[in-house]
Amino acid sequence: MRNFLLEEYFADWEFNAAHHMTASDVESMTTSDLLELATPQDRYAFENAWLGYTEPKGALDLREVIANTYADLNADNILCFAGAAEGIYAAMRVLLSPGDHLIVPVPNYQSAESVADDICEVTGIGLNFEAAWRLDLQEVEDSIKSNTKLISINYPHNPDGMIMSKDDLFSLIEICRRNGLILFSDEVFRGVELNDEDRLPQVADIYERGISLGVMSKAYGLPGLRIGWLAAQNRELLDEISRYKHYLSITNSASSERLALIALKARKKILKENQTYLRKNIEELESFFLTYPNLFKWLRPRGGCIAYPKFIGPGGGEKFCRDLLRKKGVFLLPGSVYESPLASTPPNHFRIGYGRKESFQDGLNAIGDFLDEEYSTSI
Ligand SMILES: Cc1ncc(COP(=O)(O)O)c(C=O)c1O
């Protein structure tokens, strides 16, 4: 498989840079803060959790709580994984064979294309800033071949934070239905939309061949738990994928399962608090970029906690990101980590995050200082 450019860049800088300004997870919390949200019984269950192996599909009570976040699914429709990344990997390995074909928007979170690209033929549908990163459904339909098996989407989208309209989602499902395709929907950022009306239904609820990918990492801000899941109406499909999991993590961490259950029971409160400060941060981020119209083109994201603006100043976006990191220790993701062999990706974009509660303003100030020092003639 192609090296995972984004995760490699993260491994180099996430814990070394002074200002982490490109996180795709919202601010996390301590174990004791999370336990404050627990019922006495759930707290007891965590503190006394038996640290043996757990159920391969995920603890039954955890899968029940996850299933409750869907309209009409139950525990048998849920298969847990160690994070969303393992869910993507296992699903693609099981669902795809060498003669198959997959369609995926580009740019994307790289495993959405690279795992499939290692197995079968993949078509990338290029997204661009001028079209507000909208997925062209006609292009999707025109790309379908007799061997197309699966379309992979992710909304709110990494890296641009856009959300497909509900009409587009229903049209896409109709395209899938007409062609007998699986729709794999990465919904890891669902729950922290900037406007609640933009929240999409979960694909596993509305499409019989749909698979939804969920996780504790992003909207809940609990990536350290490493608890993700696939949800689908088709249980046989999940059973098949579960057999592959025996070669991967086998089971989840017992302690994490208890903590994920506590967080999911408190989901309304956690998501609301996260949304509240994300809405505040996005206003600050937007007014920051609008202060520098000669340096940036800005498009407000609709959900998640990342945006993908364009640097239009001298020297280009790659130099901007690397100089900013070197001189001020501000970690942004340059667009080069989103490059793909499947479709050209628009140059000079970079990913910025607004999901940090305490350190966000400091990071913005450091970027502002850098711009004033390095680009004063362009401001
Ligand atoms: C769209 C998307 N899907 C999946 C993942 C993987 O998430 P996890 O860390 O929970 O494995 C990420 C991580 O950044 C992501 O952005």
Side-chain angles (χ1 to χ4, degrees):
M1 270 189 297
R2 209 156 62 86
N3 285 2
F4 203 139
L5 301 180
L6 178 150
E7 295 293 359
E8 286 182 358
Y9 200 78
F10 252 82
D12 286 346
W13 293 110
E14 182 172 11
F15 298 102
N16 295 327
H19 305 279
H20 184 2
M21 286 293 282
T22 191
S24 64
D25 49 329
V26 309
E27 186 84 57
S28 199
M29 62 175 98
T30 63
T31 306
S32 57
D33 284 347
L34 179 55
L35 288 174
E36 291 293 317
L37 305 175
T39 61
Q41 295 86 339
D42 288 339
R43 190 186 183 110
Y44 180 88
F46 167 72
E47 285 168 350
N48 294 279
W50 182 254
L51 295 178
Y53 284 108
T54 62
E55 279 189 66
K57 289 184 178 175
L60 179 60
D61 56 354
L62 173 63
R63 284 184 291 126
E64 278 167 354
V65 173
I66 294 171
N68 285 342
T69 67
Y70 293 83
D72 201 18
L73 300 185
N74 64 42
D76 292 336
N77 301 104
I78 308 294
L79 173 61
C80 292
F81 285 97
E86 192 187 42
I88 298 174
Y89 186 80
M92 296 304 148
R93 287 279 167 206
V94 170
L95 298 173
L96 299 169
S97 306
D100 292 336
H101 172 238
L102 171 141
I103 299 171
V104 62
V106 172
N108 53 43
Y109 180 67
Q110 198 189 309
S111 54
E113 66 175 62
S114 292
V115 183
D117 204 24
D118 193 48
I119 304 168
C120 66
E121 189 188 352
V122 181
T123 297
I125 309 279
L127 306 174
N128 59 76
F129 182 82
E130 286 67 32
W133 306 111
R134 179 163 182 244
L135 179 63
D136 183 336
L137 294 187
Q138 191 56 55
E139 212 179 325
V140 172
E141 197 157 13
D142 293 346
S143 305
I144 295 174
K145 306 176 184 200
S146 57
N147 59 341
T148 305
K149 178 92 184 274
L150 193 151
I151 297 178
S152 180
I153 55 169
N154 155 229
Y155 292 105
H157 190 65
N158 183 347
D160 51 68
M162 290 301 158
I163 303 178
M164 178 180 252
S165 69
K166 287 180 188 132
D167 284 351
D168 274 3
L169 178 62
F170 287 118
S171 303
L172 181 63
I173 287 175
E174 268 321 302
I175 293 172
C176 290
R177 194 170 271 134
R178 272 203 304 279
N179 292 279
L181 308 182
I182 296 169
L183 182 60
F184 185 89
S185 175
D186 178 332
E187 297 162 3
V188 299
F189 299 111
R190 188 174 183 275
V192 285
E193 294 75 10
L194 291 171
N195 298 307
D196 287 337
E197 312 82 69
D198 284 340
R199 184 166 308 142
L200 291 175
Q202 303 185 94
V203 163
D205 276 330
I206 56 172
Y207 180 42
E208 59 285 359
R209 286 199 186 87
I211 302 179
S212 290
L213 175 72
V215 82
M216 299 310 298
S217 306
K218 306 296 180 181
Y220 297 97
L222 300 168
L225 295 183
R226 310 308 300 139
I227 299 275
W229 59 87
L230 295 176
Q233 293 174 27
N234 185 335
R235 294 172 187 179
E236 291 74 39
L237 203 93
L238 290 182
D239 282 347
E240 216 184 310
I241 301 173
S242 78
R243 287 193 278 276
Y244 198 86
K245 189 185 165 187
H246 298 315
Y247 282 105
L248 301 172
S249 61
I250 307 177
T251 68
N252 287 112
S253 137
S255 322
S256 288
E257 287 190 328
R258 292 304 104 210
L259 294 171
L261 182 125
I262 291 166
L264 284 165
K265 285 187 178 174
R267 65 193 292 271
K268 289 211 170 99
K269 181 177 161 51
I270 294 175
L271 293 177
K272 199 168 180 6
E273 279 178 17
N274 291 344
Q275 266 183 318
T276 303
Y277 85 83
L278 291 174
R279 285 172 182 162
K280 182 175 150 289
N281 282 0
I282 196 69
E283 296 306 331
E284 284 172 30
L285 192 62
E286 181 154 281
S287 56
F288 177 85
F289 283 123
L290 297 181
T291 319
Y292 300 98
N294 298 331
L295 292 180
F296 300 103
K297 281 195 172 176
W298 163 253
L299 206 53
R300 188 183 174 97
R302 305 189 80 90
C305 57
I306 50 177
Y308 203 48
K310 182 173 187 168
F311 182 79
I312 52 170
E318 291 296 309
K319 181 171 161 22
F320 161 68
C321 289
R322 290 179 200 274
D323 286 354
L324 178 63
L325 181 59
R326 195 165 43 85
K327 296 193 176 170
K328 297 285 181 195
V330 178
F331 173 38
L332 298 176
L333 273 186
S336 54
V337 304
Y338 281 98
E339 278 171 9
S340 164
L342 303 176
S344 69
T345 49
N348 296 317
H349 286 270
F350 61 94
R351 186 178 103 182
I352 188 161
Y354 56 98
R356 289 291 176 264
K357 209 190 231 163
E358 308 299 338
S359 56
F360 175 69
Q361 195 57 57
D362 284 349
L364 265 195
N365 292 344
I367 301 174
D369 291 345
F370 173 75
L371 296 175
D372 293 341
E373 287 163 25
E374 302 292 321
Y375 295 93
S376 55
T377 52
S378 310
I379 292 173

